[in-house]
């Protein structure tokens, strides 16, 4: 195995992440405001399917953490398009390592940065008044990791079709946002009309959000093992699919 | 074993032959140049040799390996410096090199020694820990050359190594390439459309035009094709003058717009005679110049066109 290759690709992603401090802060802005203002605004709203003892901010926080992981990981996957634009992709592609290795290295790198962003978001949500189960955070970490790997893979897969960064806005507005809004991050999916609720079952993030919520506040709409299985299957499939697409990609 | 052997190599894009059945062999330890205008097929040739493009037909062996059947072995044994920059600007010079060394599987000890060595070779050792985005174009180029050498390649590919650099930086890069050839056990193949670059650097030059190699020899021999001197006459009626200049001493005349390029033996003696002939038939001579032939003249001699006419246009924004 070309572990050295995977390691250095991972390390590069991490170094780039740490150096882009303004991006770290910038990308956390929106989720923090979401959490703070939705938390305040819907503080007294009663959601019929939600047990009385769960406050809206406790319900919302795992969803917002998932959102951070979703956005960061998808973006890291798509950042291959930037590498193509700036030429660096070629340096990687002519190296004597397999495309699968490259894809895996990028996947792990992107997932790691998304995990770190997610952890920062958890820490910040404490400040806004979120009180999760501390023991549960370990399980939450597992769900976060799976979301991160899966959506970095999705980003990589998308990047193989995108030849410049112009399509980026389309991906955000017509793919990433619907995934987020459908996932039950902001409200229980049982509140949705039947048809839309069915659609939500095909959104992999639904299981991530539900699993995270179970781990952090003990409430979930599905059996957490079911969440775990669904997310795991999705994750493994995407890793393979993205590696296969990446291998086929032409770089001149 | 020859480092590069190319046989009938062809690349077709939608019916257009970008590279048309070319043949050449590069000898061990030499600097081999592919000289030609933009769009002549140089970069396409290089891309096939470095396994980025699949040939439409023909074959090529690099460092003894077939570029189609053993691409990974080829990749292990070559270094490449592309026309466009391929550095990670967020990383430091050293990190870029470390990244590369690990991709090519160098172990820790070798990696550290080698990074130091190549950085010193291109005089960037004191800038090792600076982010590459703070580097000038010339420094980035040097770093890329250092990186191309890092993993002890048998063959180094330089695709337009000085494209878009100013004249002074270009000369410095040449010095590095020459030093590299002397100190490293490496064969170099480069593409260029700069005449002087091919002339100064290359042991042998293949002149390539419209996908075909139209001449291949060392620069001195190529220039001998043209003759001893080249006289350049700018006149108001070039067609008229061509007819009158059918002298034995004039080996070849090429017309480029209102200018005549004449290959002659003793230019300084020929000039007054030619001016006299022009005056006799009423053709006005606007300017005259005499020079030793360059590779540009070789190209003009062979194709009736200049290399320069389309070059340099894109040079400043590329880098």
């Amino acid at each position: 195995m070309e572990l050295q290759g995977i390691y250095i690709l991972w390390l590069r992603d991490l170094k780039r992440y740490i150096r882009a401090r303004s991006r770290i802060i910038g990308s956390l802005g929106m989720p923090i405001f979401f959490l703070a203002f939705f938390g305040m605004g819907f503080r007294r709203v009663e959601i019929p399917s939600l047990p009385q003892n769960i406050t809206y901010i406790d319900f919302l926080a795992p969803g917002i953490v998932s959102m951070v992981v979703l956005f960061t990981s998808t973006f890291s996957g798509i950042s291959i398009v930037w590498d193509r634009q700036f030429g660096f992709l070629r340096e990687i592609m002519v190296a004597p390592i397999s495309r699968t290795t490259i894809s895996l290295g990028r996947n792990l790198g992107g997932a790691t940065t998304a995990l770190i962003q997610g952890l920062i978001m958890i820490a910040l949500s404490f400040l806004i008044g979120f009180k999760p189960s501390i023991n549960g955070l370990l399980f939450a970490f597992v769900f976060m990791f799976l979301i991160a790997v899966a959506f970095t893979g999705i980003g990589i897969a998308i990047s193989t079709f995108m030849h410049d960064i112009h399509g980026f806005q389309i991906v955000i507005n017509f793919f990433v946002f619907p995934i987020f809004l459908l996932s039950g991050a902001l409200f229980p999916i049982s509140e949705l009309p039947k048809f839309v609720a069915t659609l939500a079952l095909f959104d992999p993030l639904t299981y991530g959000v539900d699993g995270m919520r179970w781990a952090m506040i003990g409430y979930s709409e599905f059996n957490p093992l079911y969440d775990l299985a669904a997310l795991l299957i999705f994750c493994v499939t995407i890793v393979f699919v993205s590696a296969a697409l990446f291998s086929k990609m032409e770089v001149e | 074993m020859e480092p590069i052997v190319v046989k009938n190599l062809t690349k077709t894009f939608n019916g257009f032959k970008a590279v048309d059945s070319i043949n050449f062999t590069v000898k061990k330890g030499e600097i081999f140049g592919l000289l030609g205008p933009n769009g002549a097929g140089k970069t396409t040739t290089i891309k096939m040799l470095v396994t980025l493009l699949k040939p439409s037909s023909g074959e090529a062996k690099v460092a003894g390996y077939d570029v189609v059947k053993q691409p990974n072995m080829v990749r292990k044994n070559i270094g490449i410096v592309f026309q466009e920059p391929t550095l990670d600007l967020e990383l430091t010079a050293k990190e870029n090199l470390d990244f590369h060394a690990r991709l090519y599987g160098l172990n820790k000890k070798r990696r550290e020694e080698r990074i130091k060595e190549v950085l010193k070779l291109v005089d960037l050792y004191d800038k090792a820990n600076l982010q590459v985005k703070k580097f000038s174009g010339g420094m980035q180029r040097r770093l890329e050359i250092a990186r191309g050498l890092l993993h002890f390649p048998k063959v180094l590919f330089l695709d337009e190594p000085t494209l878009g650099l100013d004249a002074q930086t270009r000369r410095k890069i040449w010095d590095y390439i020459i030093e590299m050839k002397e100190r490293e056990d490496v064969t170099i193949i480069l593409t260029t459309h700069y005449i002087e670059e091919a002339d100064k650097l290359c042991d042998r030059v293949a002149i390539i035009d419209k996908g075909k190699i139209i001449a291949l020899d060392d620069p001195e021999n190529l220039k001998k094709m043209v003759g001893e001197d080249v006289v350049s006459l700018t006149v108001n009626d070039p067609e008229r003058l061509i007819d009158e200049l059918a002298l034995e001493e004039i080996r070849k005349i090429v017309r480029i717009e209102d200018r005549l390029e004449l290959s002659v033996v003793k230019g300084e003696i020929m000039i007054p005679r030619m001016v006299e002939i022009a005056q006799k038939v009423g053709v006005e001579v606007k300017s005259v110049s005499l020079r030793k032939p360059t590779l540009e003249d070789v190209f003009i001699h062979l194709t009736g066109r200049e290399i320069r006419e389309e070059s340099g246009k894109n040079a400043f924004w590329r880098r």
Side-chain angles (χ1 to χ4, degrees), chain B residues 186-213:
Chain B
V186 66
T187 304
I188 300 168
I189 174 166
L190 65 85
T191 73
T192 184
H193 64 260
Y194 295 120
I195 310 301
E196 209 188 339
E197 186 160 291
D199 202 356
K200 283 256 163 65
L201 283 180
C202 299
D203 298 303
R204 287 192 307 144
V205 175
I207 297 183
I208 184 166
D209 184 46
K210 296 182 176 161
K212 289 196 163 112
I213 291 180

Side-chain angles (χ1 to χ4, degrees), chain A residues 13-71:
Chain A
D13 267 0
L14 221 64
K15 279 184 176 161
R16 285 178 66 95
Y17 166 74
I18 291 165
R19 278 174 206 169
R21 267 184 221 105
S22 61
R23 213 170 53 217
I24 298 176
I25 297 161
S27 65
L28 284 169
M30 183 161 74
I32 288 168
F33 292 131
F34 267 35
L35 186 62
F37 284 90
F38 285 0
M40 287 189 287
F42 294 126
R43 182 167 43 106
R44 297 193 302 191
V45 170
E46 283 186 20
I47 300 171
S49 58
L50 201 64
Q52 289 282 320
N53 60 338
I54 295 174
T55 62
Y56 184 66
I57 195 148
D58 282 349
F59 174 84
L60 181 64
I64 296 295
V65 174
S66 307
M67 173 192 177
V68 169
V69 178
L70 166 74
F71 275 76

Side-chain angles (χ1 to χ4, degrees), chain A residues 12 16 19 90-91 93, chain B residues 75 84 88 95 100:
Chain A
R12 170 184 174 241
R16 285 178 66 95
R19 278 174 206 169
R90 221 182 249 175
E91 148 80 354
M93 293 304 214
Chain B
R75 287 171 182 198
E84 302 86 7
D88 187 331
E95 285 167 342
H100 184 89

Side-chain angles (χ1 to χ4, degrees), chain B residues 82-304:
Chain B
F82 290 105
Q83 216 173 92
E84 302 86 7
T86 60
L87 294 163
D88 187 331
L89 301 181
E90 298 295 322
L91 299 183
T92 66
K94 204 172 164 186
E95 285 167 342
N96 265 290
L97 296 180
D98 186 61
F99 181 89
H100 184 89
R102 286 177 197 258
L103 281 186
Y104 285 76
L106 263 63
N107 67 33
K108 190 170 195 293
K109 190 167 168 282
R110 255 187 132 185
R111 213 157 58 216
E112 279 169 8
E113 282 170 11
R114 185 61 175 167
I115 288 174
K116 201 166 159 183
E117 201 170 71
V118 294
L119 277 174
K120 281 188 174 158
L121 182 69
V122 295
D123 284 331
L124 286 175
Y125 187 60
D126 54 331
K127 305 269 191 317
N129 294 314
L130 208 65
Q131 265 179 306
V132 175
K133 64 180 169 194
K134 291 173 186 140
F135 278 23
S136 67
M139 284 160 73
Q140 289 188 5
R141 204 86 271 238
R142 270 146 64 192
L143 181 61
E144 288 191 287
I145 291 173
R147 188 178 65 181
L149 277 176
L150 191 65
H151 54 284
F152 305 96
K154 293 202 175 80
V155 183
L156 181 66
F157 291 85
L158 305 171
D159 191 7
E160 299 275 3
T162 62
L163 185 75
L165 299 177
D166 60 80
Q168 197 187 348
T169 313
R170 176 168 304 146
R171 293 225 164 73
K172 270 203 99 176
I173 299 278
W174 293 346
D175 291 341
Y176 288 119
I177 293 174
I178 289 167
E179 195 182 338
M180 183 166 90
K181 180 198 164 191
E182 278 161 11
R183 291 198 357 208
E184 302 274 335
D185 183 21
V186 66
T187 304
I188 300 168
I189 174 166
L190 65 85
T191 73
T192 184
H193 64 260
Y194 295 120
I195 310 301
E196 209 188 339
E197 186 160 291
D199 202 356
K200 283 256 163 65
L201 283 180
C202 299
D203 298 303
R204 287 192 307 144
V205 175
I207 297 183
I208 184 166
D209 184 46
K210 296 182 176 161
K212 289 196 163 112
I213 291 180
I214 51 176
L216 197 170
D217 212 327
D218 68 59
E220 288 317 306
N221 280 338
L222 286 172
K223 283 183 265 182
K224 276 184 199 149
M225 287 170 62
V226 178
E228 257 179 52
D229 289 327
V230 175
V231 174
S232 187
L233 286 177
T234 308
V235 295
N236 64 352
D237 189 354
E239 285 306 325
R240 176 86 202 275
L241 193 59
I242 287 179
D243 297 337
E244 301 296 328
L245 283 176
L247 302 171
E248 203 180 306
E249 295 88 336
I250 298 176
R251 290 178 49 188
K252 181 152 183 172
I253 306 178
V254 177
R255 181 194 152 190
I256 297 166
E257 288 163 10
D258 61 349
R259 202 172 83 229
L260 297 177
E261 301 279 338
L262 306 110
S263 313
V264 297
V265 178
K266 284 211 171 355
E268 67 278 12
I269 296 173
M270 289 305 293
I271 287 174
R273 279 186 64 188
M274 290 190 272
V275 173
E276 198 182 293
I277 291 169
Q279 274 168 349
K280 210 181 277 173
V281 297
V283 173
E284 185 197 341
V285 178
K286 292 177 187 157
S287 74
V288 182
S289 73
L290 169 67
R291 62 176 184 273
K292 290 286 163 197
T294 65
L295 291 176
E296 173 87 59
D297 296 309
V298 179
F299 190 82
I300 292 170
H301 185 81
L302 291 167
T303 67

Side-chain angles (χ1 to χ4, degrees), chain B residues 41-57:
Chain B
K42 296 168 298 188
T43 298
T44 308
T45 304
I46 294 290
K47 278 182 178 165
M48 287 191 278
L49 296 181
V50 303
T51 77
L52 271 180
L53 273 180
K54 281 213 168 65
S56 304
S57 65

